[in-house]
Amino acid sequence: MTRVYNRRPDFIARSIMSAAAFVKEATLCEEHARYAGFLQSLDPRAKAITFLALLVTVAFLEQAALIGLVYCACLVLAWASKISPGYFLIRTWVFIPLFTLGIVIPAMFSFVTPGAALAAFDIWGVRFVITRPGFDGAVLLVARVAASVSLAVLLSLTTRHAELLKVLRIFGVPQVFVLTVTMCYRYLYLFATLVENIFTAIRSRVGVMPQRRAGRRVVAWNIANTWSRTTKISEEVYLAMLSRGYTGEPRLLAGFQLRLRDLVWALAVFVWCAGLLYLERR
Amino acid sequence: MNDIVFELQDVKYSYQKKYPALCGIDMTIRQGEKIAIIGANGTGKSTLLHMLDGLVFPDQGRITAFGQELSEAALADEAAAWKFRSRVGFVFQSADIQLFCPSVREDIVFGPLQLGVAANEVARRLAEVARVLDVGHLLDRVPQQLSIGEKRRVAIASVLAIDPEVYIFDEPTAGLDPLTVRHIIDLVVQANRRGKTIITAIHDLHIVGELADTVYVFGKDKKLARSGPVEQVLSDRAFLEAQNLVHIHGHIHEGREHVHPHLAFERHA
Ligand SMILES: Nc1ncnc2c1ncn2[C@@H]1O[C@H](COP(=O)(O)OP(=O)(O)O)[C@@H](O)[C@H]1O
Ligand SMILES: [Mg+2]
């Protein structure tokens, strides 16, 4: 087998491994929530309410520039919370195309959004026209999604999951729902772990990713099997939680505590949201 | 008669109603007893322990715990479940499954917090079990990233913190180094001296004598092959061989008899 043959499958294996490591890190390690940064120091209830207010505000804003302000605030908050800018940008921009690509690109063109032409080009004799309203709409959508995703990522990076779940309960979200979210989290983590283990096992037995047909069958079988194995393990994890008295009600060692800084923060955010909405209306 | 912790009468259980795991088990476990469940792989040891912990329930037959029937319906009552879970602690076979929190600290306090122990008492227990199991330096680590021995100690700590009356261990010493095994045995013996009931599934016969006074041997047919005082059962070599628990190859070391498992195709050094 030549190198050229091996390179591509190995690249795929490596990408899958790093994706799995990313999911694991994101669902369990809560590394960023332990840093001593600004958002980490706030009471989770105050944080959750203010982020909700910001999300709602973003949904109401129609001017891309105002949404841009919120996005810039996110970058500042990330910096103040000791999240490295590179990491934060990757974390957010990985998701943004997921929500926008399929909508934004078609919507820019004249056959979806009519209006004055901004740019035009030909492909195989078909004329494509990007319209002014189409372009503006696309910018607005991307800005809105970017700001919303950034807010969500900021909140989840700087708050421990047990605390977030507890906040959900405080805000009256039913126990069953919190339990489901909890188990989904565990499921994702277990799934990522299993994928990692399988690829390590295959590589340790075969060296590189197998080329021959038999080898590919092993991989396919393993991938299909990963779902059912994960389900089985997550059922066992659920039993382990049950065994130690779990009922779906998150409980924390240290209770929440509202301090002056939380109130000041909340007030500042509400004033800011009101200001943005005022500018929007004007 | 009120010192009976668990009583099983002709208990049968199959996974998905298809794969039999327990085929008619009768047992009586009394308070303060130290018992071992031994048997080859797949003889139903783990299934039995899950049942004792109220995680699976008999298809047929009956199990009572502390004088009350142990059933899905009984545990559906939150107060009853809370009481039962506070009295019975289970260390699972796989520490990877048992540890599901983002930090060792959270895993250790999970049980007591869920069971409504007051915060200052939880903190006291955390400090105490961390000392006893020597995991104090690991409290802020992610459990999944620890070594197998460390994971096992954390898993045991997370159950000790509940302070139950009955401890159930599923192969607590499998895959550990001798020092850690020693440590765990001492812990179990001490807990028993304090009056705790100890139920251990194991297949390392060297240490059964230390972990139990009474043994129950599970056979390939997923029934009890024999039960009785530990010396009596372990001295019947022919029986243990028939149960796949020892290989014929026993030999003498420093005047003491040892039984080493050997692969059939392995050459003896
Ligand atoms: N989740 C499951 N689904 C189907 N069969 C199972 C499951 N768990 C265990 N079994 C079967 O039940 C029997 C007893 O298993 P187990 O209690 O794990 O044995 P042991 O702990 O003694 O090794 C085995 O035949 C095993 O294959
Ligand atoms: Mg087992």
Side-chain angles (χ1 to χ4, degrees):
Chain A
M1 242 177 274
T2 63
R3 281 190 63 119
V4 180
Y5 261 104
N6 291 342
R7 191 170 292 152
R8 211 169 62 97
D10 208 44
F11 165 75
I12 294 170
R14 261 212 313 279
S15 316
I16 292 177
M17 293 282 266
S18 57
F22 178 80
V23 170
K24 275 176 71 172
E25 199 268 354
T27 50
L28 191 84
C29 295
E30 305 189 342
E31 192 193 326
H32 292 87
R34 298 170 193 220
Y35 294 168
F38 173 68
L39 285 176
Q40 290 91 337
S41 75
L42 293 175
D43 182 289
R45 289 168 298 182
K47 220 178 341 180
I49 290 212
T50 47
F51 274 72
L52 190 66
L54 285 166
L55 278 170
V56 170
T57 308
V58 166
F60 276 108
L61 293 178
E62 299 275 338
Q63 296 176 32
L66 292 179
I67 298 176
L69 273 180
V70 177
Y71 183 72
C72 291
C74 285
L75 295 182
V76 173
L77 282 172
W79 170 80
S81 306
K82 310 204 169 159
I83 300 167
S84 88
Y87 181 80
F88 183 68
L89 290 178
I90 291 174
R91 246 335 258 277
T92 43
W93 285 94
V94 158
F95 290 112
I96 293 168
L98 212 70
F99 294 115
T100 50
L101 223 54
I103 309 168
V104 164
I105 303 226
M108 289 202 297
F109 293 96
S110 56
F111 42 83
V112 177
T113 316
L118 193 66
F121 50 88
D122 293 302
I123 297 175
W124 291 323
V126 181
R127 187 143 190 85
F128 286 85
V129 179
I130 295 179
T131 64
R132 179 90 231 176
F135 182 76
D136 289 348
V139 169
L140 181 65
L141 184 69
V142 171
R144 194 174 275 160
V145 169
S148 306
V149 168
S150 297
L151 284 168
V153 167
L154 260 186
L155 180 65
S156 72
L157 273 183
T158 60
T159 319
R160 318 200 97 184
H161 299 134
E163 293 177 341
L164 270 185
L165 294 168
K166 176 93 190 171
V167 169
L168 287 182
R169 283 294 288 148
I170 291 174
F171 292 165
V173 175
Q175 200 164 325
V176 179
F177 181 82
V178 172
L179 192 144
T180 311
V181 171
T182 310
M183 292 321 292
C184 284
Y185 245 84
R186 304 257 181 268
Y187 189 89
L188 264 180
Y189 175 82
L190 292 167
F191 187 73
T193 310
L194 213 57
V195 168
E196 251 183 7
N197 292 346
I198 286 171
F199 272 87
T200 314
I202 290 176
R203 289 169 109 194
S204 74
R205 260 176 289 176
V206 196
V208 290
M209 288 293 291
Q211 293 294 304
R212 282 151 296 150
R213 185 151 359 124
R216 279 203 294 275
R217 244 201 357 252
V218 170
V219 176
W221 183 84
N222 265 304
I223 289 170
N225 217 21
T226 304
W227 292 106
S228 70
R229 277 159 82 183
T230 309
T231 311
K232 182 164 178 292
I233 297 175
S234 69
E235 270 164 21
E236 289 176 53
V237 169
Y238 180 65
L239 291 184
M241 299 174 82
L242 213 57
S243 169
R244 283 196 271 157
Y246 186 66
T247 52
E249 187 66 57
R251 293 181 206 275
L252 306 171
L253 188 52
F256 291 154
Q257 204 183 0
L258 270 186
R259 283 166 305 178
L260 186 62
R261 65 158 57 207
D262 298 307
L263 299 178
V264 172
W265 158 257
L267 196 67
V269 171
F270 289 137
V271 168
W272 204 56
C273 289
L276 285 171
L277 290 172
Y278 171 76
L279 288 177
E280 168 75 31
R281 284 289 166 89
R282 220 175 34 154
Chain B
M1 281 299 276
N2 55 7
D3 67 339
I4 293 180
V5 178
F6 290 111
E7 188 160 32
L8 285 79
Q9 289 161 2
D10 195 29
V11 165
K12 296 190 175 129
Y13 180 77
S14 307
Y15 285 95
Q16 291 116 48
K17 311 271 176 246
K18 272 192 303 212
Y19 310 108
L22 298 172
C23 302
I25 305 290
D26 292 285
M27 279 174 104
T28 304
I29 300 173
R30 289 169 194 282
Q31 196 191 324
E33 270 189 330
K34 199 165 65 164
I35 73 157
I37 316 281
I38 64 176
N41 284 324
T43 49
K45 302 184 297 295
S46 296
T47 307
L48 175 79
L49 299 189
H50 277 74
M51 192 170 282
L52 297 180
D53 196 37
L55 300 173
V56 300
F57 303 94
D59 297 333
Q60 278 172 50
R62 198 176 126 85
I63 173 170
T64 62
F66 309 105
Q68 258 142 33
E69 172 142 23
L70 188 56
S71 64
E72 201 151 15
L75 285 186
D77 174 36
E78 204 153 309
W82 176 83
K83 189 144 189 229
F84 179 78
R85 304 267 171 236
S86 313
R87 294 177 88 174
V88 182
F90 184 16
V91 179
F92 283 68
Q93 185 163 0
S94 156
D96 282 316
I97 282 169
Q98 178 145 21
L99 304 175
F100 43 71
C101 292
S103 70
V104 168
R105 183 194 313 277
E106 282 162 271
D107 246 317
I108 293 177
V109 301
F110 183 89
L113 283 180
Q114 288 296 326
L115 293 165
V117 176
N120 56 349
E121 170 66 10
V122 174
R124 198 183 66 79
R125 289 190 193 176
L126 170 66
E128 180 66 9
V129 299
R131 185 183 64 77
V132 170
L133 281 145
D134 190 24
V135 293
H137 57 296
L138 303 173
L139 290 181
D140 288 313
R141 296 275 302 274
V142 179
Q144 277 71 15
Q145 295 168 351
L146 302 177
S147 79
I148 171 168
E150 290 168 337
K151 278 183 199 169
R152 192 65 58 89
R153 296 210 307 272
V154 174
I156 294 176
S158 72
V159 172
L160 274 181
I162 296 174
D163 192 27
E165 296 165 29
V166 180
Y167 283 92
I168 303 175
F169 295 98
D170 199 348
E171 305 198 14
T173 57
L176 301 184
D177 63 73
L179 204 69
T180 312
V181 169
R182 205 55 283 140
H183 193 161
I184 290 175
I185 293 173
D186 290 346
L187 212 103
V188 169
V189 171
Q190 279 165 21
N192 182 247
R193 290 220 185 95
R194 295 196 303 271
K196 310 288 185 188
T197 309
I198 311 283
I199 303 164
T200 314
I202 196 141
H203 49 206
D204 186 355
L205 295 188
H206 298 127
I207 56 176
V208 171
E210 295 182 79
L211 286 173
D213 302 322
T214 312
V215 285
Y216 290 81
V217 184
F218 276 49
K220 274 269 171 270
D221 55 359
K222 287 145 181 147
K223 288 182 185 156
L224 271 179
R226 185 178 288 189
S227 65
V230 69
E231 314 78 39
Q232 192 189 320
V233 175
L234 289 194
S235 60
D236 189 346
R237 180 60 49 82
F239 168 73
L240 294 177
E241 267 167 33
Q243 294 303 323
N244 244 343
L245 282 165
V246 292
H247 189 278
I248 190 121
H249 196 109
H251 54 191
I252 312 280
H253 253 337
E254 297 165 16
R256 272 171 60 210
E257 196 174 11
H258 274 236
V259 183
H260 291 301
H262 279 280
L263 292 172
F265 53 79
E266 206 173 41
R267 266 179 298 162
H268 187 226

